[in-house]
Each structure stands twice: as C-alpha cells, then as structure tokens.
Amino acid sequence: MNRYRLAAVGSAILATTACTSGTPAASGQDGLVPITDDTTGRAHVPVGFGTLRQDEIAIRLELQGLIVRAIPLDENLIRLLTPDSYRALRELQESNKQSIAAVTRRTGGRAPDVWYVSFYGVEPDVHFSPMELVITSAGRDFRALEVLPLSSGFGEQRRRQRETQSAIYLFDESIDLDQPLTVTFQSVRNDSWDQILTRVERERALVRARASRPPQ
C-alpha cells in the first residue's frame, strides 16, 4: 500500500475521532473478520457493540506548539470503540501487517504491541523527534522497536500549524495495558491510563450486556 493510501487511512482515523456514539451495529456487520489468533485470552469482547470514541481511550500530551495522541491498538480494547472507529483501526493494522510481521520475526516470534500515534501542530513550524516517545509499564521504560509512518512528510520531524502527522509505533509485547502506565514525550508525562481503564472496564461490561440481548 503506497503512502497516499496510508495517509487516507490515517485521515479516516482522525475523522472517526470526532464521531459521536450512535446505535451499535450488530456483531459481524462491519465486514471484518474478528481476530481469532488471540494468545493472551483477552480478546473476548464481541465486535460491533462498542460506543466509545477514540478520544476516550487516547493518551494525550500537550507540549509547546504540539499535541500528541497515543492509542494502543490492542484488539480487546479497540472492540469497545464505535464500529466505524474499530473498522478504521483494524484496516490500519491490516495495511501494515507485513511490516509488523517483519518485526515479529526479528524479535523471535513475539508479536509487538501496536500503537497509533498522531502529532498535531498548534503553532507553525514545530520541530520534534518521534523517537522521544517513551511508555513506562511495570517500572520499565519502552521505546519503539519500529516506527511506520502513515503520512507523507512524517520523517521531516516538523509540523506546520493545524497539520497532523501520524505513524504506527511497535513496542515490546511486555507493556501491560491492564495496569497503570505512563506515556512521556520529551519532558511531558501523562499517567491518566488508570482513569481510562475505569472507563474501559465499564464499557466492556456494557458491550457484553448489549451482545447478550436477543435481537429485536
């Protein structure tokens, strides 16, 4: 998939961020085959019943002239999103599956944790280094094993005002999304993941309740 197609996918993801919650689609109506090769036992939430917006699971950092958003693309997490957001994020992973598989082979068969990270320029000509993103989990700091740009110009490491650049970040699989974690970019930290987890667990229970209702 060329960079223009990847940019289009990234734009679709940004567009779905602003979507409000609607009536959940029935499971299986989103045209995607749910992931079945789950090795962690966590992907038990049915597809198509989520109502969360991307902003509700995004870790946001505000720097001078720049806003950074990081979203873990864990299957059991993104199934809690609205169907449109779930589709967009799944397509993003599918379009990069060869690059993700290459990292998996490089790390001895351990599939990496996949994150979607975007950088939005609040001020003109903001310079930054994408590799300064660090996730701290269980007392350990994680830096990206690989960064897969989704938008043209990502490697320039600068953002124009009101311009968004995005990429897929691949981390070591040891990041524990079920526990509090901290995301740091340059000198700015965000440790609100434990609050997001409360929202996630509540939505997970609601999704299972919706899925258990008999069809109307």
Side-chain angles (χ1 to χ4, degrees):
M1 181 170 292
N2 61 40
R3 66 181 183 181
Y4 302 106
R5 173 60 176 151
L6 293 177
V9 174
S11 298
I13 291 173
L14 291 171
T16 56
T17 301
C19 292
T20 56
S21 300
T23 302
S27 179
Q29 290 182 351
D30 55 15
L32 287 174
V33 177
I35 290 176
T36 57
D37 57 346
D38 173 49
T39 59
T40 65
R42 298 176 64 244
H44 298 304
V45 178
V47 175
F49 295 91
T51 62
L52 292 181
R53 293 173 291 108
Q54 289 182 34
D55 276 343
E56 294 181 275
I57 65 169
I59 300 171
R60 178 185 173 103
L61 301 99
E62 295 190 16
L63 296 85
Q64 181 66 40
L66 187 69
I67 295 175
V68 182
R69 291 171 66 252
I71 300 176
L73 301 187
D74 178 82
E75 176 69 12
N76 202 34
L77 178 64
I78 65 173
R79 288 186 180 198
L80 304 176
L81 297 172
T82 61
D84 285 347
S85 285
Y86 174 75
R87 268 196 302 270
L89 294 177
R90 277 295 305 276
E91 182 178 350
L92 192 63
Q93 294 180 81
E94 285 297 312
S95 64
N96 287 274
K97 63 182 180 181
Q98 292 184 351
S99 297
I100 295 172
V103 173
T104 300
R105 290 191 297 270
R106 199 170 73 209
T107 56
R110 300 189 310 273
D113 280 356
V114 184
W115 289 59
Y116 171 76
V117 182
S118 66
F119 301 85
Y120 176 74
V122 180
E123 298 177 359
D125 200 28
V126 178
H127 295 258
F128 70 99
S129 173
M131 296 305 294
E132 292 187 57
L133 188 77
V134 179
I135 298 176
T136 303
S137 172
R140 178 182 169 189
D141 291 340
F142 295 86
R143 296 182 181 272
L145 302 171
E146 192 81 45
V147 175
L148 310 176
L150 297 174
S151 45
S152 59
F154 184 87
E156 296 176 4
Q157 301 185 8
R158 67 172 62 187
R159 294 291 80 80
R160 301 180 181 88
Q161 191 169 16
R162 297 183 180 179
E163 178 188 59
T164 299
Q165 298 284 350
S166 58
I168 282 182
Y169 279 58
L170 304 180
F171 292 92
D172 187 281
E173 63 169 350
S174 299
I175 295 175
D176 188 355
L177 295 178
D178 291 327
Q179 300 296 327
L181 55 81
T182 299
V183 176
T184 305
F185 188 75
Q186 296 179 358
S187 60
V188 178
R189 293 164 52 94
N190 183 310
D191 56 2
S192 64
W193 184 248
D194 56 340
Q195 301 172 27
I196 295 175
L197 277 178
T198 300
R199 185 179 305 130
V200 163
E201 289 305 319
R202 182 170 58 246
E203 179 67 15
R204 186 170 286 129
L206 291 172
V207 164
R208 287 180 173 138
R210 294 179 197 121
S212 66
R213 295 171 188 162
Q216 298 294 326

